[in-house]
Amino acid sequence: MIQSGSFDLDGMLAVLEGKIFGMGARRFVFDALDVVLALLSDDAAKCRAVYRLNTSLLRNEMTYIITSKGVGEVTTSEDKQSEQPYGFMQFMADCALILNHSVMEGVSQRNLRVQKYRGSGFDENEITLIRPYRY
């Protein structure tokens, strides 16, 4: 990625709000927010940008989905826990899902885990998503 000059989310938010209003949209998907946040200079700027995005979408009464790699999942390696980048986003979300794809013994495995579902009881265990073999 090559960045020329500084980046600020305000311009993009203004355009998004204009499109949302013009279309009369009620739902919004922001795929790969981590790519946009990588353009910002420091963690504080990234946090402010996410809060501005959240505030903007709530102000417009939007139902929205934001995807990002490594949002808030805690990983453990050699007795050392480290929180993934953008973990603060979980506190704003009503629902947080973790999707994982791995290969175990040569078999592709996709898993889903509900990490948070505000105001609801839910199963916190990881669920393996099974796809039937097709020959």
Side-chain angles (χ1 to χ4, degrees), residues 33-45:
L33 182 62
D34 54 304
V35 174
V36 173
L37 294 179
L39 297 171
L40 298 172
S41 59
D42 59 43
D43 289 341

Side-chain angles (χ1 to χ4, degrees), residues 42-109:
D42 59 43
D43 289 341
K46 292 173 185 181
C47 190
R48 283 191 305 270
V50 171
Y51 278 104
R52 282 195 307 259
L53 175 62
N54 184 54
T55 301
S56 173
L57 293 169
L58 289 175
R59 180 176 51 243
N60 288 292
E61 298 179 352
M62 299 294 293
T63 298
Y64 60 95
I65 296 173
I66 296 175
T67 69
S68 183
K69 289 184 181 177
V71 176
E73 181 179 6
V74 176
T75 58
T76 309
S77 62
E78 300 177 7
D79 298 326
K80 181 181 176 185
Q81 287 189 342
S82 62
E83 189 171 327
Q84 295 296 318
Y86 320 126
F88 60 88
M89 288 174 59
Q90 281 187 46
F91 298 105
M92 291 183 283
D94 289 330
C95 183
L97 304 175
I98 295 175
L99 303 173
N100 183 34
H101 178 239
S102 60
V103 177
M104 300 181 97
E105 298 179 11
V107 177
S108 176
Q109 186 173 354

